[in-house]
Amino acid sequence: MDLPKSKLEFLVRSAQFACRLPFLYASFNRDRPLHVSPLSVDVNITDRCNFACLMCRGANPGYKPKPELSIDVMKRVIDDMKQMRIPYLTLTGGEPTLRLGFILETLQHSRARGIAVGMVSNGSLLDEQEMTDLVRSGLHRIAFSLDGATEEVHDSIRMPGSYSKVIASLAMCQCVKKQSRYNFRVHVNTVVVRPNVRQLVEIARIARSFGAVSLFQPVDVGQAEHQVGSDPVTSASVRSLMVGEREIPVLENAVSELLALQRRDAVVANLTWQLRNIVSYYRRLASGQDSFRFRCYTGFNTIHIDSDGKFGSCIFLPPAGDLNAATLKEAWDSPAYTLHRETIRKCSRPCSLNCYYPMSLGMLAYNFGYLPVRRKIVNALAKVPA
């Protein structure tokens, strides 16, 4: 979900969340939705990727990509989203731009139905004309993966030569914005890991220099080791990236600086609790704690659809069904999804993903109301002559 662009959007979204919260809490306790639709749908449109990043299942040379969703099923999902009033769709992978024609059709179909679409990319394949075509077709937001402030660190996590490509993609988006009337958003996604823990603030500054905002998230160590059918090779590579006890003080300082940067400038897209949660997550793992208890609402906030049509809310649990054989609404209300939500509610695995949304009006008011007002006041006072 994106930050509101205006006071009106903030008020509308706050009212929507306020009306939704009682139904969300009631739904959570019953493991089935009571007048609650998800906030977003995430679709992994392909498992194929031109990278082999250390934290990804593609790091295993023996990994075989799953079959890919057809455009007819994708369009049906979008039609169901409109019917269910789900406002946001995110396209992920693999590397989604390997299916550029599929993306363009998806964007056009979504725009006709009033659904905003975002996409996550490694930033290695798009040229300026293709980026222009995507934005012209209705792309609302694009997020590029940047895992280091230097070529050495980023490329050691992703792929040799990838740092220069993502920086070029950020610069390209600036050019497309200047040359067109389309106002799309650019994000920089960073996985917080041992090699880059000393570069997080600089990554946020790089994002700001290109007119982008940063989003930080830890590597999914605990989930990778508990995932049903998890590959031990992938799990081992993920474990090596974990922020350890010796790096925790460095991470704490970095998060403190990011919070200060967030108060001054809207360059960090994380909610405040998400940034703080990264520290507590890694601290718990470093101390050997492998059982966390929290209220995870992802079973009511998000639907994740894999490239083969299997769906669920938590990507680290077995799927709740197959959208090749059911509509989105049927899937959402199915007994299998109820069981999926019950499993999520009882889950105690280590987790710090941004998808579980512990929603509260106070949190929304602080991040979407107080902080923007504070920034305006501080900036206005800074312009007043001494």
Side-chain angles (χ1 to χ4, degrees), residues 33 212 275 277 356 361:
L275 287 174
N277 205 33
Y356 66 84
L361 289 179

Side-chain angles (χ1 to χ4, degrees), residues 14-325:
S14 294
Q16 290 172 338
F17 274 112
C19 295
R20 185 179 188 268
L21 282 176
F23 296 102
L24 175 63
Y25 298 148
S27 299
F28 180 84
N29 293 325
R30 291 167 174 79
D31 299 318
R32 59 187 179 87
L34 302 175
H35 306 291
V36 170
S37 291
L39 301 172
S40 64
V41 173
D42 300 339
V43 183
N44 172 12
I45 65 172
T46 181
D47 265 359
R48 293 179 291 133
C49 189
N50 57 324
F51 282 12
C53 305
L54 293 180
M55 72 288 281
C56 183
R57 55 192 172 188
N60 178 10
Y63 178 74
K64 294 182 179 179
K66 298 174 185 175
E68 294 178 348
L69 211 63
S70 72
I71 190 62
D72 290 335
V73 173
M74 185 74 251
K75 288 180 177 179
R76 176 160 55 80
V77 167
I78 294 166
D79 292 340
D80 291 343
M81 288 178 65
K82 178 177 174 59
Q83 181 184 1
M84 295 172 68
R85 298 183 179 180
I86 305 172
Y88 205 86
L89 170 66
T90 300
L91 305 179
T92 67
E95 174 48 41
T97 58
L98 289 169
R99 300 188 71 186
L100 191 60
F102 180 97
I103 294 172
L104 290 171
E105 274 197 74
T106 297
L107 289 171
Q108 292 159 6
H109 199 76
S110 299
R111 183 173 61 181
R113 282 145 187 81
I115 294 169
V117 182
M119 182 175 72
V120 181
S121 170
N122 61 33
S124 66
L125 298 177
L126 290 173
D127 61 31
E128 189 170 328
Q129 182 57 55
E130 290 168 338
M131 188 67 224
T132 302
D133 291 342
L134 289 171
V135 175
R136 186 180 293 123
S137 296
L139 186 66
H140 175 75
R141 173 182 59 85
I142 188 164
F144 295 114
S145 300
L146 180 63
D147 289 330
T150 61
E151 183 174 4
E152 178 184 7
V153 170
H154 176 88
D155 288 3
S156 69
I157 299 168
R158 295 284 174 176
M159 287 284 285
S162 59
Y163 177 83
S164 60
K165 290 180 179 179
V166 71
I167 294 298
S169 291
L170 289 167
M172 174 187 67
C173 286
Q174 274 192 314
C175 291
V176 172
K177 278 188 174 184
K178 290 177 181 178
Q179 295 172 7
S180 70
R181 58 181 177 85
Y182 302 105
N183 185 24
F184 62 100
R185 294 181 173 182
V186 182
H187 284 200
V188 167
N189 288 355
T190 300
V191 180
V192 178
V193 289
R194 187 194 302 264
N196 67 19
V197 71
R198 290 173 172 80
Q199 297 188 349
L200 303 182
V201 176
E202 187 57 34
I203 290 172
R205 288 174 177 150
I206 290 173
R208 181 172 58 181
S209 71
F210 289 103
V213 296
S214 289
L215 183 70
F216 297 93
Q217 187 162 282
V219 67
D220 315 319
V221 179
Q223 294 92 329
E225 294 181 347
H226 288 83
Q227 182 182 1
V228 175
S230 178
D231 188 311
V233 175
T234 304
S235 295
S237 68
V238 171
R239 169 61 68 174
S240 69
L241 295 174
M242 186 179 75
V243 175
E245 187 174 358
R246 293 167 60 179
E247 292 87 19
I248 295 296
V250 179
L251 178 60
E252 286 181 313
N253 291 335
V255 168
S256 295
E257 288 191 58
L258 289 173
L259 287 168
L261 191 61
Q262 185 186 57
R263 288 191 292 269
R264 295 193 305 270
D265 193 354
V267 68
V268 180
N270 295 77
L271 300 178
T272 304
W273 71 265
Q274 291 172 335
L275 287 174
R276 291 183 176 134
N277 205 33
I278 295 173
V279 178
S280 60
Y281 168 78
Y282 274 129
R283 183 184 289 118
R284 288 174 174 178
L285 287 177
S287 66
Q289 185 178 350
D290 60 359
S291 180
F292 298 2
R293 294 300 298 171
F294 53 85
R295 293 172 69 90
C296 177
Y297 292 103
T298 191
F300 300 97
N301 289 332
T302 305
I303 296 178
H304 176 82
I305 304 172
D306 217 339
S307 62
D308 58 358
K310 302 291 175 50
F311 65 85
S313 287
C314 179
I315 62 175
F316 302 110
L317 290 176
D322 189 345
L323 282 174
N324 290 297

